Amino acid sequence: PAPGMESLPESVLIRILASLPAVDLVLVCRLVCCQWKDLVDGAALWILKCQQEGLTRAETDAENWQNFYFLSKRRKNLIKNPCGEEDLEHWGEVEHGGDGWKIEELPGDFGKEFPSEEVHKYFVTSYEWCRKAQVIDLRAEGYWEELMDTTQPKIMVRDWYAGRRDAGCLYELCVKLLSENEDVLAEYKSETITIPQENDASWTEISHTFSSYGPGVRFVRFEHGGQDTLFWKGWYGVRVTNSSVTVEP
């Protein structure tokens, strides 16, 4: 009989397997035989796939190249409508203090342009506390339970805020990692940040990275908000935009 694939050198077989879609490797090829299972579970195949697709990391950082590959391919902002392009769509638990939330075009009155040209709008608060939140379902976004429980990839949270030059304001950010039953497993809460009147209206980034947070994380709850400090009718409170939550490879 003609020799089968099992007679190929392992390096050649790895190159053949690396040409297949990653999902097929895990769900189909891994089940063919012990040799293929070992190759799919090993580092060499995934290092090659990462090289082929331009996904780089330091060798010294490598623990699980398969997880690194899947996390890199899935990496995206999990916050929907971060800049107000869809009004308040996707934002829940909205608290409309004063005259409520409003969406305005950058730079806005007494404001500054955003550092990125890709951002065109922002949310602005009023003279009483305005808050809004999003809850991200990690499994629905493709982050499976074993990955979250064992690898515990870093979860990076970012937000941008600014005042307007003629009004002072307050800003807060609170992010929670939640279990299946929405118990709080980890939490980051900023201080109440005060921007004085007669500020320069510059945009400031605030960020936090969750790591080693333990097993059981299934949801991320992102909440931010603020108000002005002068209690002027209208929309003189803090401005927020370009919020993001990413699961890092």
Side-chain angles (χ1 to χ4, degrees):
M5 289 189 70
E6 67 275 2
S7 66
L8 292 172
E10 191 170 277
S11 60
V12 175
L13 185 53
I14 284 175
R15 288 193 171 276
I16 293 172
L17 291 173
S19 66
L20 299 175
V23 173
D24 291 342
L25 289 173
V26 174
L27 298 182
V28 180
C29 298
R30 190 174 178 275
L31 307 179
V32 170
C33 62
C34 291
Q35 182 192 22
W36 285 30
K37 178 181 182 298
D38 290 342
L39 292 178
V40 173
D41 289 345
L45 172 60
W46 298 100
I47 290 173
L48 180 56
K49 282 193 75 65
C50 288
Q51 290 171 344
Q52 290 173 341
E53 301 187 34
L55 306 175
T56 59
R57 75 188 297 189
E59 288 278 350
T60 53
D61 293 339
E63 292 183 6
N64 187 318
W65 280 89
Q66 183 183 135
N67 283 348
F68 173 77
Y69 177 87
F70 279 105
L71 285 169
S72 297
K73 298 293 284 184
R74 281 186 167 83
R75 190 178 186 277
K76 65 175 182 177
N77 185 4
L78 301 177
I79 292 284
K80 296 177 174 62
N81 186 28
C83 305
E85 297 290 348
E86 303 172 73
D87 198 52
L88 284 166
E89 189 73 20
H90 304 296
W91 291 96
E93 302 177 54
V94 179
E95 182 179 335
H96 285 289
D99 288 323
W101 287 96
K102 184 182 180 186
I103 291 89
E104 295 181 344
E105 298 272 351
L106 280 157
D109 293 340
F110 296 92
K112 274 190 178 177
E113 289 289 357
F114 192 76
S116 169
E117 294 181 357
E118 297 177 359
V119 178
H120 305 289
K121 295 183 179 182
Y122 59 84
F123 303 90
V124 58
T125 60
S126 190
Y127 58 87
E128 291 179 354
W129 270 99
C130 297
R131 291 183 176 87
K132 58 187 177 69
Q134 272 193 46
V135 177
I136 298 162
D137 184 337
L138 293 170
R139 283 175 300 191
E141 296 291 346
Y143 299 99
W144 58 99
E145 294 181 4
E146 183 184 0
L147 174 74
M148 299 307 301
D149 292 347
T150 304
T151 303
Q152 294 176 32
K154 292 179 180 178
I155 299 174
M156 173 72 80
V157 177
R158 294 184 177 92
D159 201 18
W160 288 82
Y161 64 90
R164 45 183 286 162
R165 288 193 303 273
D166 61 340
C169 59
L170 305 175
Y171 166 82
E172 286 182 2
L173 171 66
C174 181
V175 185
K176 299 176 181 179
L177 305 186
L178 305 177
S179 71
E180 177 76 30
N181 298 321
E182 299 192 5
D183 298 318
V184 178
L185 303 181
E187 180 177 6
Y188 167 75
K189 193 176 192 306
S190 74
E191 61 182 347
T192 300
I193 296 169
T194 302
I195 300 176
Q197 192 175 8
E198 307 300 332
N199 65 88
D200 65 1
S202 60
W203 286 93
T204 300
E205 183 184 42
I206 183 172
S207 66
H208 178 75
T209 301
F210 291 98
S211 61
S212 302
Y213 39 76
V217 172
R218 301 292 178 263
F219 302 94
V220 180
R221 185 182 186 278
F222 179 104
E223 178 185 296
H224 62 182
Q227 67 171 87
D228 76 35
T229 53
L230 302 173
F231 302 98
W232 289 348
K233 183 170 176 58
W235 296 273
Y236 294 85
V238 72
R239 299 165 171 185
V240 294
T241 195
N242 206 38
S243 312
S244 67
V245 173
T246 54
V247 179
E248 298 293 315

